[in-house]
Structure formats: C-alpha cells, structure tokens
Amino acid sequence: MTYLGNRVEATDDLSTREASVVIWKPLKSWATKPMQRYWGWWRSQSANLMVIGVASLALSSGVAALVQLGLLEGLEQKAYDQMVRLRQATRSLPPDDRLLIVTVTEEDLETLAEFPLTDGTVARAINQLQQHEPVAIGLDMFRAIPKPPGRDALGQALQADNIVVIAQLANSTGGPGIPPPVESAPGQVSFNDVVVDADGKVRRALMIAEPTALPEHPYLFSFSLQLAMRYLATQDLMPTASPENPDYMQLGETTLWPLQSGSGGYARIDDNGYQVMLDYRDRVTPARTVTLQAVLNDQFDPAWVRGKVVLIGITAPSFKDLFYTPFTGGASDANHQMPGVILHGQMVSQWLDLALGDRPLMGLSHPWQEWLWCLGWALLGGTLAWYLHHPITLTASETGVFIAIAVSGYALFLTQGWVPIIAPALTVLGTSGVVLAYQAQQSFRQRQMMQVLLGQAASPEIARALWENRDRLIKSGKLPGQSMVATMLFTDLRGFSSLAEITPPEQLLEWLNHYLEAMTDEIQIHHGIVNKFTGDGLLAVFGVPIASTTPDEIAADAQAAVACALGMATRLQTINRERQAQHHPRLEMRVGIFTGPVVVGSVGGHQRMEYGIIGDSVNIASRLESVDKSRQPEPCRILIGQDTLDYVGDAFITEAWGDLVLKGRHAPLGVYRVIDRRTDPISPLT
C-alpha cells in the first residue's frame, strides 16, 4: 500500500477492499467509542434523569399555576422593588434638563394664604412662564370649578396652544371623575389618573384610556404623554403605529408593548387601557424643581424654561396628592411618598428617553417564558439534590442556586427585563425537596432490600461499601447477576440430629442461636457476609457483592475466609467450655472453603427474593465440608480446596489429604486441612 498525499492506494499485496478495511476499522472504532461511552452513561443515568425531569416538570408547572393565580404576585413585586432600589443606588442618571417642575409647597400656600390656589394666582404663574417660551406647560390641577378671583384671566391663559390641562377618568369609588376646564380646547385635555397596584405602589403608567364619563372625548392621552408629544414634535417625532403590530404605538424607534395580565410579576391585574411599566429616573425627582413663589417673583433662570416642558403641581403634604413607589420600604425611605406632579415628571422623562433611544422599555416575560425559566432552574436544583448527598455540600450548592437566580434576575433587570425571582426559587426548593424525598424513599426501600438479600450479618465496612455503591449495584429493584471470583465458607455441626433428639426444643433453639451468633460475629470481623443459615450450619461468602477484581484482592478474600474459620474454631472452644460447665455434650463442627468463579445476584420475585450465589464453586465448598465425615481430628475441622490454597500460599499451616473425588464430581480435587496460621507467612501468588 502506497501513500499519495492524503490518499491511500492499494498495491498488489493488498487489495483495495482490504486497504479500506484497514483504514475504516480504526476510524470506526475512534468514532464509535465516544458514542458507546455516552450511550452507556445515558443508560446508567436514564432512571435518575427521568426522576429529576418529572419532578422538575411537575414543580415548575405547579409553581407556574400559583403565579397565574396571583399567589406570588406580592412577593415578586417586593423583589422588583428591591431591584429598583439597588439599581438606583448603583446607577445615577442626571436630572432631565428638558423638564422643569414648578412645585406648590406648604410654604407657598401659607405665604399666599390660599388653599386651594385662586384662578388668578394660577393665571399669573402661567403668564410668567409663557414669557420665556416653554414648549409646553402642564397644569396638574383640577380647574373645572372656578376659584375666584381671576377666572377670566385663567380662562384667557388656558387658550394658549401649549397648555395641557387635566381631567379625572374616575374617582376613588369608581364614580364619574372630574371634567377639564370649560375654557380648554379638546386637544389640550389629558387625564392624570395613576394606576396603583394592590399594595398601594405605583409601578405602571397608563398612557391611553377611553373615558366613559367624558363622551366628547372618545379617548384621551395621559398628562405625561401629551406633554412628551409636544416636545417630540419639536424634534419631528410623532407617535406612529408600530410595524411589528399596528395596534401598538411606536415612539421613535421604540415599540411600546402594552402590559398584559400574566406578564412579569403580574398575574391578575386590570390591564385595560394602554399600560407600560414605569421606569423611575430618580428616587426623589427626575428634573429641576422651583417653587411657585420663585416663579411668581421671577426668581429663576429663563433658560430653565425656554424650549422645555414645564409641569405645575401641588407637592404640599396637606393636599394629599402623594403616592407610594418602589422606593418606599427601603432602609432610608420606609415612608417615602412621591407627589403626583413629580410622578408625572418621571413619566414625561421616560417617554422622551424612549422616543430618543436613551432608555429602552422595560420588557416583561410571558407565562410560557416564565415556565421555561422555572423549569431550567428546577432541573439544576433537582440535579444538585440528586448527586450531592452531603448535607453541607447540598446546602451550599442550593444556596448558590438561589443566589444565581437573584443575580440572573437582577442582571436581566439591568438590561430592562423583568422575570420572576420568587417563582424559580420556590421551584428549586420544591424540586429539591421532592428529589430528596424520593431518594429517601428509594434509600429506605434499597436498605430494606439489602437487609432482605444480604441479611444483617454483613460487617460495617461491607455495609458502608454496599451503601456507597447502591446506585451501581441496584437496578430496577434488584441486584443484577454479576460474575466474580469469591470464596465460599460452609459450616455444619457434627451429630446435630442426635443432639436434637436428647435436647428439649426450647433449649436446643437457645444454644443453637448462641452458637450461630458467635459464628456470625466472627464472619463480620473478617468482612464476610452470611448468605444463609441451613439449620445448624451456614454459608458465608467473602468478596461479594463488591467484586474483587485483582489477584491480590481475591487472595485477601481467601485469607480472610480461612482466618475466619480458625476464629470459629477458637469460638467453638469457648462455647464447649461453657457447655461442659453445664454438663452438656461437646460440639464439633466442619468447615469447607473453596475459592472460584460464581454468579451473584437477587433470586426470586418482588414478593420474595434472596441474594443468590450460583456456581460449581458453591457446590465444591459444600462437598468439602461434608467429605469423609468420619475423619474429625479436632473439634473444628477446616478443609480447603487446591484453588484456595493457591491464593493463600504459605500463610497457613496445612495438612494434605490428597486428591479426593467429591460427591457429584468426576475429577479429583486436591484437599487440605488447615491446622493453624503461620507466624511468618509467605505472601501468596509470588
């Protein structure tokens, strides 16, 4: 085969087909091994992922339902307020120099000795401002009812095209509101109604409404929008229909997507009219303010008015035109309230920024997006709860998830997006709880199954190893069959039937339990497992269910089994001394040990099953115990097979019994009696 650049050509010694096979096989192996590993991992984790997925879907759907029912609305709004306050503390926007707010303070009212202000005083203020050519003057005062003196002067002042007056859509009880001044033209009329949430705070702005109490006005723009549009007209910007949806308004390049019930942290709200989220420019005021007295006395810079939007309104607390905002409730603003004219100034500044591209509109998540948002966090929280079992690690990781939710939500908020924070946190908490409860229930069932299969005679070390590897060992509620090399130990009492004939049943059961308890303790000490009791005998296994894979590990299991048998012999001597003191006959026992391949796993059905050990090695150990029963040189006879001797080496003193043909077998087996432990053993397998 010759190489030409990146091509391969077959020579006479290697056909083209053979050449392709030579290249394709390694390439196929290289490509398929990662897929095989991935598929193997997926199969091993599919059950776990299914539990996590189902729990996450169920909890995220449940929490989404709670959100839509409005049960989390208050908490989400509190989280929103906290983000507003945090952003204000870290981001400071300069005062909006396109606006001037004329405030009527308590001092102004006391100095003028007017409450409410007379029409003449209001007319003087308007005329004083008009001298400096403002773009628009918004009068945030109801003037439908004359307040003499000076009504004629006010009526004449209100004739100017740049004046915007207010009406009220509805009063606090839902009845007819307050009409605008009769001197105003229809194009000058707006409404100053404010949308208040259930907790009394203003987070939304109503831009367009259809007043039922004012039939001459089929629809009205808000006070702030009217003023903003007059300023934008000087910039050749007018509201248009959005190309994305002709039913929505567009200011400049910004489409004003109306707020709808179920979006963001809102669930069940009155979304009538054209509402958007109110984005406060500042905690106190969005623009420069001057008092009414300063205006009347011409104590202000004309540049503050020329080409600007001017708002006039009462800020005196006695007038009670005050509103709670997201800033209310903070450490330094626990009782903060914002006057209505300042609130409208915040809105005017926002509309101007939106139209000129200086600030984007606050976007709200939709219900399906919120469900996906909660589902993603639920999957993360459920996965951590599944795989992190240590309480401290789990607590730290789940706390990290909650922090990540808050940080992610705030990061989106800084980019003008509002997504729920409380809902995903509850989803993570609920999913983690469900996963942990499921694991606890599964662990309880697995522990019960292990106790049923392996009994309670496993050493603490083996029990710990089993529990740590339970996910790998237990599949579909069973221990699947597994091939391994283990060491079996069979014991039986010599002449038990004869003893049973002369011993009362109650006494027989008592001393038999005492004997088996001593033998079981010895098995535990040597890290074996009692697989079953056979009346007066038992079967113990060393090297299961955690498979020993190396020769040294298998040799250690074999040595542990033989050492256990010698320990049983010592225990039997103690028991016999006790029996002789009570004038009971001496007990003798036989032990058979063999090391070889077996298949282990659960045997039976879900109603009844046990830990089964199957293989010819089990039969050999049983035959070693029962071979040539007449040869009992000492109270505890221990016989091992050649295979076991090969693993234990010279660690024990043994006596060769020759090659014996055991019952049910054709080939002879080398049999050895274990006498004692060697004080200077030679390591096996050397």
Side-chain angles (χ1 to χ4, degrees):
M1 184 167 62
T2 60
Y3 295 86
L4 300 176
N6 293 327
R7 295 180 298 162
V8 180
E9 292 190 357
T11 64
D12 295 338
D13 297 329
L14 187 64
S15 67
T16 303
R17 183 173 181 274
E18 290 171 334
S20 64
V21 170
V22 170
I23 299 171
W24 170 246
K25 280 190 174 180
L27 181 61
K28 181 180 180 183
S29 176
W30 175 83
T32 57
K33 281 184 178 180
M35 292 302 296
Q36 290 173 349
R37 287 195 296 269
Y38 173 78
W39 179 243
W41 177 88
W42 174 259
R43 289 175 59 188
S44 64
Q45 299 295 321
S46 58
N48 301 349
L49 297 176
M50 179 66 71
V51 173
I52 297 171
V54 170
S56 300
L57 283 170
L59 267 297
S60 56
S61 299
V63 171
L66 294 179
V67 170
Q68 295 307 308
L69 290 174
L71 299 181
L72 303 181
E73 188 171 277
L75 294 175
E76 294 292 358
Q77 290 173 356
K78 290 183 184 300
Y80 175 86
D81 295 347
Q82 186 60 45
M83 291 189 292
V84 170
R85 293 193 289 268
L86 182 60
R87 183 184 63 178
Q88 179 62 36
T90 57
R91 183 208 71 175
S92 178
L93 293 179
D96 195 333
D97 61 2
R98 298 164 298 193
L99 278 66
L100 177 68
I101 301 177
V102 178
T103 61
V104 181
T105 65
E106 291 286 2
E107 185 179 356
D108 290 328
L109 296 176
E110 292 173 2
T111 301
L112 295 170
E114 296 179 5
F115 188 83
L117 293 177
T118 63
D119 293 334
T121 299
V122 176
R124 284 174 51 204
I126 294 175
N127 293 333
Q128 193 71 28
L129 293 168
Q130 291 283 30
Q131 294 178 20
H132 304 295
E133 301 177 351
V135 169
I137 298 177
L139 186 61
D140 187 27
M141 302 178 191
F142 296 112
R143 311 305 297 186
I145 301 175
K147 296 178 178 59
R151 185 63 182 186
D152 292 340
L154 178 61
Q156 185 175 359
L158 295 180
Q159 299 299 314
D161 292 337
N162 65 345
I163 296 294
V164 176
V165 297
I166 59 171
Q168 187 185 54
L169 300 177
N171 59 31
S172 59
T173 61
I178 300 173
V182 294
E183 296 88 350
S184 303
Q188 296 176 283
V189 179
S190 65
F191 65 85
N192 73 336
D193 295 68
V194 174
V195 180
V196 180
D197 287 335
D199 60 355
K201 295 182 181 180
V202 179
R203 301 181 182 89
R204 298 171 281 157
L206 180 62
M207 302 181 69
I208 304 174
E210 298 178 3
T212 57
L214 302 172
E216 66 277 14
H217 298 282
Y219 66 89
L220 282 179
F221 292 126
S222 68
F223 180 58
S224 59
L225 183 58
Q226 274 271 33
L227 293 172
M229 288 192 301
R230 291 173 183 270
Y231 182 90
L232 294 174
T234 64
Q235 309 293 318
D236 295 325
L237 290 174
M238 293 297 292
T240 60
S242 171
E244 300 180 61
N245 189 325
D247 293 331
Y248 297 159
M249 179 190 298
Q250 179 169 313
L251 287 178
E253 299 296 326
T254 304
T255 297
L256 303 181
W257 299 93
L259 186 150
Q260 297 178 346
S261 181
S263 300
Y266 288 109
R268 295 187 173 186
I269 58 170
D270 182 2
D271 57 2
N272 289 325
Y274 203 109
Q275 302 180 35
V276 298
M277 293 299 297
L278 174 55
D279 186 13
Y280 288 84
R281 186 182 190 89
D282 188 81
R283 180 181 62 85
V284 179
T285 179
R288 178 183 289 111
T289 63
V290 297
T291 65
L292 178 62
Q293 281 285 76
V295 171
L296 295 177
N297 297 327
D298 199 18
Q299 297 174 343
F300 62 92
D301 188 344
W304 297 353
V305 177
R306 187 170 295 108
K308 309 298 174 63
V309 174
V310 181
L311 295 86
I312 306 174
I314 300 176
T315 59
S318 60
F319 195 72
K320 298 182 180 180
D321 185 25
L322 301 172
F323 298 91
Y324 293 109
T325 70
F327 300 106
T328 307
S332 60
D333 300 296
N335 299 312
H336 171 80
Q337 287 182 290
M338 186 173 289
V341 67
I342 302 295
L343 192 64
H344 293 299
Q346 301 273 14
M347 298 178 191
V348 174
S349 178
Q350 181 180 357
W351 310 147
L352 296 181
D353 284 347
L354 288 174
L356 299 175
D358 296 331
R359 270 192 290 171
L361 181 69
M362 178 68 71
L364 278 68
S365 56
H366 298 293
W368 66 271
Q369 295 171 326
E370 295 167 9
W371 179 80
L372 289 176
W373 170 254
C374 291
L375 177 61
W377 289 111
L379 289 170
L380 176 59
T383 302
L384 292 175
W386 186 275
Y387 290 102
L388 299 180
H389 302 293
H390 195 282
I392 295 179
T393 305
L394 178 59
T395 301
S397 64
E398 294 291 327
T399 302
V401 172
F402 295 142
I403 295 174
I405 292 173
V407 171
S408 300
Y410 182 63
L412 290 172
F413 181 78
L414 291 179
T415 61
Q416 298 298 90
W418 182 23
V419 296
I421 292 179
I422 304 301
L426 288 179
T427 306
V428 169
L429 187 64
T431 303
S432 301
V434 169
V435 169
L436 291 176
Y438 176 82
Q439 282 187 319
Q441 188 267 345
Q442 287 295 101
S443 296
F444 177 74
R445 290 181 57 189
Q446 290 171 348
R447 191 183 295 272
Q448 282 188 320
M449 192 196 76
M450 284 185 174
Q451 290 177 350
V452 170
L453 292 177
L454 305 177
Q456 299 179 4
S459 68
E461 292 81 6
I462 290 182
R464 189 180 307 112
L466 288 174
W467 195 244
E468 291 174 353
N469 291 272
R470 64 187 184 276
D471 293 336
R472 178 171 58 87
L473 294 175
I474 300 176
K475 297 178 180 178
S476 302
K478 293 183 178 181
L479 288 172
Q482 184 179 8
S483 298
M484 60 180 66
V485 176
T487 300
M488 275 62 63
L489 182 151
F490 265 98
T491 71
D492 194 28
L493 285 175
R494 183 185 183 194
F496 178 74
S497 299
S498 300
L499 287 174
E501 290 180 2
I502 62 175
T503 306
E506 296 82 1
Q507 186 179 358
L508 178 67
L509 183 61
E510 182 179 353
W511 70 254
L512 181 59
N513 285 334
H514 177 60
Y515 160 78
L516 292 175
E517 182 180 5
M519 301 302 112
T520 299
D521 288 343
E522 198 65 33
I523 294 169
Q524 287 184 339
I525 292 173
H526 291 85
H527 310 314
I529 289 180
V530 176
N531 180 246
K532 63 178 64 177
F533 294 101
T534 58
D536 59 326
L538 57 83
L539 167 61
V541 192
F542 296 79
V544 298
I546 307 298
S548 297
T549 56
T550 66
D552 288 341
E553 291 174 344
I554 297 171
D557 296 334
Q559 289 189 20
V562 177
C564 177
L566 291 173
M568 288 178 169
T570 302
R571 295 263 187 161
L572 185 64
Q573 292 176 3
T574 303
I575 292 174
N576 280 331
R577 284 195 295 269
E578 295 173 354
R579 290 179 62 81
Q580 287 174 359
Q582 299 173 4
H583 306 289
H584 294 312
R586 187 181 71 166
L587 297 179
E588 294 182 347
M589 63 182 292
R590 298 183 299 270
V591 180
I593 301 174
F594 189 77
T595 304
V598 293
V599 176
V600 301
S602 56
V603 177
H606 289 287
Q607 299 298 324
R608 178 177 176 84
M609 60 181 171
E610 63 181 24
Y611 187 63
I613 303 174
I614 302 172
D616 190 46
S617 300
V618 181
N619 298 328
I620 295 174
S622 175
R623 298 294 184 261
L624 285 171
E625 175 273 316
S626 61
V627 69
D628 201 355
K629 295 182 179 181
S630 61
R631 297 176 67 178
Q632 185 81 24
E634 54 189 355
C636 182
R637 187 191 79 177
I638 306 171
L639 297 182
I640 64 175
Q642 180 67 54
D643 298 62
T644 302
L645 182 65
D646 292 340
Y647 280 108
V648 301
D650 293 333
F652 301 92
I653 301 173
T654 60
E655 174 190 24
W657 277 28
D659 293 338
L660 304 181
V661 178
L662 303 180
K663 183 180 179 181
R665 294 180 58 84
H666 300 291
L669 174 70
V671 179
Y672 301 84
R673 181 173 73 90
V674 178
I675 300 175
D676 201 353
R677 183 188 294 271
R678 192 180 297 275
T679 56
D680 54 345
I682 300 175
S683 300
L685 303 174
T686 57

